[in-house]
Amino acid sequence: MSLTRRAMLGALGGLAVGGTVASVVGTGIAAAPENASPAKTGRFEQVGGDFGWKPHKLDARVCAPVAYDGYWHKGYACGYGTFYGIIGMLGEQYGAPYNQFPFTMLEANKGGISDWGTICGALYGAVAAFALFWPRKERNAMVDELFRWYEKTKLPIYNPGDAAKGVKGEIPSNASESVLCHISVARWCYEHKKENGSKERSERCGRITADVTTKAIEIINAKIDAGESWKGAYPKQESVAYCGECHSKGKDADIQKGNMDCTPCHGGSEHVQNKFKDHP
């Protein structure tokens, strides 16, 4: 039975028939005999094996508008839009198991995970899609490429034209220099004198959802072609390499965790100094 895009956007992924889902989806918890011990059932084993879904190439020109619409769908926002723009579109084209995913799970990424301003939800949606197909050793290069591109690229690029749901026409862009929602949004609002609660800011994030989907699909398609040998084009950030000379594994002060650009938080600008001491 085929599903319409409207039905797919609101899909809960076949959760209504819990026992049937694993057999339809080809992943999930492997069935075990009643009263069997965890050691005998193979706890943590998945039907179809880890990373058992097969990736397919997608056309970003087709998927980007869907990701943009997904951002606005019931206010589910960036993580939902990006993930649906990839996995939902695989479902529309290839059916199960892709169309059985409970897509609303990704709604938790709104506002950098429930408005906490942490990782940009659009990025998480893309990485979650990567992780359905590739294990960490292969996926890390894909994540590095996507995240470094996001830090350095002036976004948004995508323009929905007359299909815009927030603000039509051109809107300003900038490089966030960070994968954090808090910094990405604040920097854009500060540079362009916009409010976080404005329609322009929502439109900006909707368009970035389409941009991230486009870049993620570019990476997925290249990965499918090159296999394990695929490598990204973006080099390690200068700040990460510089700070890593002292603060990475095996160095004098091994305290650094992470690969994001160090400068937004450790660059010494007045905006990252102690704002609580003697604040009026």
Side-chain angles (χ1 to χ4, degrees):
M1 179 180 69
S2 63
L3 294 176
T4 64
R5 180 169 295 166
R6 181 182 296 275
M8 284 288 291
L9 280 170
L12 293 177
L15 293 179
V17 191
T20 306
V21 171
S23 63
V24 173
V25 174
T27 188
I29 300 172
E34 188 175 355
N35 299 323
S37 69
K40 291 181 179 179
T41 60
R43 176 177 285 164
F44 304 127
E45 290 184 3
Q46 295 181 176
V47 174
D50 294 353
F51 312 103
W53 286 15
K54 177 181 174 61
H56 297 276
K57 288 186 176 182
L58 289 165
D59 186 341
R61 294 170 298 180
V62 175
C63 297
V66 176
Y68 173 81
D69 287 345
Y71 170 89
W72 297 97
H73 177 69
K74 296 184 179 180
Y76 288 167
C78 46
Y80 179 91
T82 299
F83 190 82
Y84 190 93
I86 301 170
I87 304 304
M89 292 303 286
L90 286 175
E92 291 191 18
Q93 295 182 35
Y94 297 98
Y98 319 101
N99 64 357
Q100 300 297 318
F101 197 94
F103 295 103
T104 48
M105 185 183 81
L106 277 295
E107 185 271 344
N109 292 285
K110 181 180 183 294
I113 304 181
S114 297
D115 292 326
W116 272 69
T118 61
I119 187 70
C120 168
L123 292 175
Y124 181 85
V127 171
F130 293 166
L132 287 173
F133 309 113
W134 291 283
R136 187 181 308 156
K137 287 184 178 180
E138 292 193 59
R139 189 179 64 245
N140 280 354
M142 302 171 71
V143 175
D144 289 347
E145 180 75 352
L146 179 66
F147 281 26
R148 289 168 182 165
W149 165 86
Y150 183 95
E151 286 181 336
K152 298 302 181 185
T153 304
K154 291 185 177 181
L155 301 173
I157 299 169
Y158 179 78
N159 187 338
D162 290 338
K165 298 181 181 296
V167 175
K168 292 183 179 181
E170 297 292 334
I171 61 173
S173 62
N174 72 314
S176 67
E177 299 182 21
S178 175
V179 295
L180 299 179
C181 172
H182 168 70
I183 295 176
S184 179
V185 169
R187 187 185 295 275
W188 184 83
C189 289
Y190 178 79
E191 288 187 9
H192 302 298
K193 297 179 172 57
K194 305 290 184 182
E195 294 183 352
N196 174 54
S198 66
K199 287 185 178 179
E200 289 89 349
R201 200 279 305 157
S202 293
E203 179 67 25
R204 177 249 185 194
C205 290
R207 296 186 186 193
I208 285 180
T209 298
D211 289 328
V212 171
T213 301
T214 297
K215 184 62 178 181
I217 289 172
E218 174 189 314
I219 293 170
I220 288 171
N221 291 348
K223 176 66 174 176
I224 291 172
D225 283 338
E228 293 186 14
S229 64
W230 183 86
K231 294 181 180 180
Y234 281 79
K236 181 181 290 187
Q237 306 90 318
E238 290 183 8
S239 65
V240 176
Y242 175 78
C243 294
E245 291 179 4
C246 294
H247 298 298
S248 59
K249 186 176 180 180
K251 302 299 182 178
D252 292 340
D254 179 9
I255 60 173
Q256 178 177 302
K257 179 71 173 179
N259 295 313
M260 63 177 149
D261 195 332
C262 306
T263 51
C265 296
H266 300 286
S269 76
E270 61 175 329
H271 304 294
V272 294
Q273 303 306 310
N274 188 344
K275 293 298 184 181
F276 297 96
K277 182 180 179 180
D278 301 325
H279 194 285

